[in-house]
Amino acid sequence: MSNPIALAIFDIDGVVRDVSGSYRRAIADTVEHFTQGHYRPTPQDIDQLKSEGIWNNDWQASQELIHRHSQASGQSHNSDYDAIVLYFQERYRGSGDDPSQWTGYITQEPVLMRAQYLADLAQGGVPSAFFSGATRGSANYILQQRMGLTAPILIAMADAPSKPDPTGLYMTIDQLEATVPKGLPVLYAGDTVADMATIKAAQAQFPDRLWLGVGVLPPHVQTDAAYKTRYSKTLKEAGAALVIPHVEQLTAEKIQALLNISAP
């Protein structure tokens, strides 16, 4: 590794893997099931909810969409959280806890990041890690089984409070700083308002450090030019210093350029 210049921490869903046909499909399936087929949220409905910045947990997002439909329609729907989680997991992951036996939507997720990209970042002086609201099992499924990473640094759902609480971000940084100098600038790459709010919260708590949010456009918003423009604007308004259509465009050279223009 070259002399470290910054730490890069990545969200997973929508950044490392395309979840439009998996997590988001499972949300839609779950809401449709618990509203007895009366309401299936569109991708735009889900994005609108997540733009509020507090629905990073997809189980809770599913429950909230069911609640809102109940209120809007005047209908009463079962929204038991444990039942929602169980149904969601059966759709997304499949039955059982053994990743080698999973048969759900997770097995079909397109991978958006290569292991070589992370190696190139490290060579350019940017060590990396992952902080995600996904379960550890599903996160490691993509990082280890699909990407081939060995023991990546990962803070997952059960390890820290949900974003935009920055606790998990700090935990990730602590692990990275076991091998690199302390106090380096931190970039957090994510695809939602909650991700940008997380980096802003860290900046507010530790203003002496440079914190930069990088917005990554998830694949499902890039199929329509107007939608892509609106989504980019939302991420920028939420605090993104840079918005890119693909995570691997965040090269070590681009990070250095971003540091140069962002340094006080």
Side-chain angles (χ1 to χ4, degrees), residues 1-262:
M1 181 188 293
S2 303
N3 290 332
I5 60 172
L7 308 179
I9 300 174
F10 298 97
D11 182 30
I12 292 178
D13 300 334
V15 176
V16 177
R17 58 182 171 194
D18 180 359
V19 296
S20 56
S22 55
Y23 263 127
R24 286 169 175 264
R25 184 179 174 188
I27 290 175
D29 286 355
T30 302
V31 175
E32 184 176 41
H33 175 77
F34 283 89
T35 59
Q36 290 78 51
H38 292 291
Y39 172 51
R40 182 178 181 87
T42 66
Q44 291 83 354
D45 292 338
I46 296 170
D47 285 339
Q48 180 62 39
L49 181 74
K50 287 183 172 286
S51 72
E52 296 175 11
I54 57 173
W55 303 107
N56 191 64
N57 181 312
D58 287 336
W59 302 332
Q60 293 175 357
S62 299
Q63 186 183 48
E64 180 63 16
L65 287 168
I66 296 165
H67 276 316
R68 293 188 186 189
H69 176 74
S70 296
Q71 292 173 349
S73 65
Q75 298 171 336
S76 178
H77 298 301
N78 174 25
S79 57
D80 177 75
Y81 186 70
D82 290 340
I84 288 170
V85 171
L86 180 61
Y87 185 87
F88 184 105
Q89 290 297 85
E90 287 177 348
R91 307 297 291 176
Y92 174 69
R93 190 180 65 183
S95 301
D97 296 324
D98 182 358
S100 67
Q101 302 299 318
W102 286 350
T103 58
Y105 300 152
I106 189 173
T107 63
Q108 304 164 27
E109 293 172 335
V111 181
L112 305 174
M113 178 187 285
R114 298 167 300 128
Q116 184 59 49
Y117 162 71
L118 298 175
D120 291 343
L121 273 187
Q123 186 61 36
V126 186
S128 59
F130 301 90
F131 167 42
S132 172
T135 64
R136 179 165 292 274
S138 73
N140 274 328
Y141 181 87
I142 197 75
L143 297 177
Q144 296 181 341
Q145 296 198 37
R146 300 288 302 281
M147 288 179 61
L149 301 180
T150 302
I153 294 175
L154 166 67
I155 298 298
M157 177 192 285
D159 302 323
S162 292
K163 294 178 278 189
D165 187 310
T167 300
L169 188 64
Y170 303 151
M171 294 168 66
T172 314
I173 292 167
D174 285 345
Q175 292 192 39
L176 278 171
E177 288 185 334
T179 56
V180 300
K182 297 183 183 298
L184 290 171
V186 174
L187 294 91
Y188 185 47
D191 69 318
T192 67
V193 168
D195 296 326
M196 299 306 104
T198 300
I199 202 81
K200 286 180 69 176
Q203 175 68 63
Q205 290 187 6
F206 298 100
D208 291 339
R209 188 170 197 159
L210 180 59
W211 306 85
L212 295 170
V214 176
V216 181
L217 295 173
H220 75 274
V221 310
Q222 300 191 51
T223 58
D224 177 87
Y227 194 12
K228 178 179 178 180
T229 299
R230 291 195 305 272
Y231 202 96
S232 296
K233 182 181 178 183
T234 296
L235 290 176
K236 289 177 181 176
E237 289 175 345
L242 173 71
V243 175
I244 52 178
H246 193 283
V247 65
E248 292 195 0
Q249 292 180 350
L250 187 65
T251 61
E253 293 76 16
K254 184 164 285 188
I255 289 171
Q256 182 63 73
L258 195 58
L259 295 178
N260 291 342
I261 64 175
S262 303

